[in-house]
Amino acid sequence: MTVSGSVFRLGRRLRLIGLFKSLTPNTNSTICPHYLHATSSFLPPNHNVFSSYASPFSIGQKRSMFIQTQATPNPGSLMFHPGKPVMDVGSADFPNPRSAMNSPLAKSLFAIDGITRVFFGSDFVTVTKSEDASWEFLKPEIFAAIMDFYSSGEPRFLDSQAVASMDTAIRDDDSEIVAMIKELLETRIRPAVQDDGGDIVYCGFDPDTGIVKLKMQGACSGCPSSSVTLKSGIENMLMHYVPEVKGVEQELDAEDEEAALSGQVE
């Protein structure tokens, strides 16, 4: 790395931080509780409100972008709206840097110190940070990473065959109960959860116990109120419309299990 290159990158970072501080309004807004009611309307009025804005950045020749940020019920996660498509179909969750090797954008976000999880929705990127990291310093880095990706012309995924898992696609061998569960998840539950910067994945149904297995992703993964979402919202709705459902349980990946265990120890 040359001295001139280092000076350029340092100057670029300082300009980004200065521009962000001068243009971004106060983000200390009230976040509505992540609570889903067993009705057709999951969320309280005005829940999906942008809490902060990133004004257009112009760096280099013909590079400008307007990126909006939106608070989520998880204080450790923020949604970034680049104004461009992020996923053509479904969603993609990256719980660790290893899982991001197929995505140039996710890989560059994990390169930022303090980023612990990345999630792609249809038109947004949800970024989760560590507890000791500060959004004040992370936001300019995230803005720069998103801008660099969209100006580079790189594909969103290196493997063109890699697509989001269609967990709620109804298959020929699905029972009527499973088909009803998948339809409710896809049409009534998933849109509300995605509004909070996350997603929910169907993992299975046990007809003997009546338990539906679900996995929370994005901002909903590790959210302090995710258990309320599952029990008071999703579980109630599924049990209301599908009497065969007796309960909902969360499926945890390795990272979530470690976080849960560490929380119990503390």
Side-chain angles (χ1 to χ4, degrees):
M1 181 184 298
T2 65
V3 174
S4 61
S6 300
V7 172
F8 172 78
R9 276 181 281 276
L10 177 59
R12 176 173 175 271
R13 173 182 286 193
L14 291 175
R15 286 196 302 275
L16 276 174
I17 294 175
L19 186 60
F20 169 76
K21 287 183 176 179
S22 64
L23 294 176
T24 304
N26 187 3
T27 59
N28 295 326
S29 59
T30 302
I31 301 175
C32 297
H34 194 219
Y35 187 91
L36 303 184
H37 300 279
T39 64
S40 59
S41 177
F42 282 93
L43 303 176
N46 301 322
H47 185 91
N48 187 20
V49 177
F50 290 104
S51 60
S52 62
Y53 297 86
S55 292
F57 296 104
S58 296
I59 301 175
Q61 295 181 347
K62 297 181 179 179
R63 288 180 57 191
S64 63
M65 206 168 179
F66 185 79
I67 302 174
Q68 295 177 310
T69 64
Q70 180 184 353
T72 75
N74 186 350
S77 299
L78 271 181
M79 295 170 68
F80 292 79
H81 295 258
K84 297 178 181 291
V86 179
M87 291 289 294
D88 294 324
V89 178
S91 59
D93 188 39
F94 306 95
N96 52 56
R98 184 179 63 257
S99 64
M101 299 307 292
N102 190 44
S103 168
L105 176 55
K107 187 177 178 181
S108 65
L109 290 172
F110 272 114
I112 301 172
D113 188 29
I115 301 301
T116 60
R117 195 178 194 119
V118 176
F119 175 81
F120 291 170
S122 59
D123 61 351
F124 65 87
V125 176
T126 298
V127 178
T128 303
K129 69 176 184 65
S130 58
E131 290 185 4
D132 56 346
S134 170
W135 286 122
E136 180 181 0
F137 298 104
L138 289 178
K139 281 182 180 180
E141 297 282 353
I142 295 170
F143 291 147
I146 294 175
M147 277 194 307
D148 288 343
F149 168 73
Y150 279 100
S151 64
S152 70
E154 288 187 281
R156 278 169 275 178
F157 292 93
L158 299 178
D159 182 2
S160 59
Q161 300 300 317
V163 295
S165 175
M166 298 299 293
D167 59 293
T168 52
I170 299 176
R171 299 178 174 83
D172 294 336
D173 58 348
D174 284 340
S175 66
E176 183 180 354
I177 297 173
V178 171
M180 292 175 63
I181 293 171
K182 287 183 174 181
E183 184 177 357
L184 283 170
L185 288 171
E186 183 64 30
T187 61
R188 303 288 292 276
I189 297 172
R190 174 166 275 160
V193 176
Q194 288 180 339
D195 279 345
D196 281 339
D199 201 359
I200 189 162
V201 177
Y202 171 77
C203 299
F205 171 70
D206 187 339
D208 296 328
T209 62
I211 299 298
V212 177
K213 291 277 190 177
L214 302 173
K215 179 184 288 187
M216 308 295 282
Q217 294 184 331
C220 298
S221 177
C223 176
S225 54
S226 61
S227 59
V228 178
T229 302
L230 282 173
K231 293 298 181 182
S232 299
I234 298 172
E235 183 178 80
N236 285 349
M237 172 168 275
L238 290 178
M239 291 173 63
H240 176 76
Y241 287 102
V242 187
E244 290 82 359
V245 173
K246 305 303 180 184
V248 171
E249 292 183 1
Q250 184 174 1
E251 191 90 350
L252 300 176
D253 54 28
E255 286 74 15
D256 293 330
E257 287 180 355
E258 290 179 4
L261 288 174
S262 63
Q264 291 176 0
V265 170
E266 293 176 359

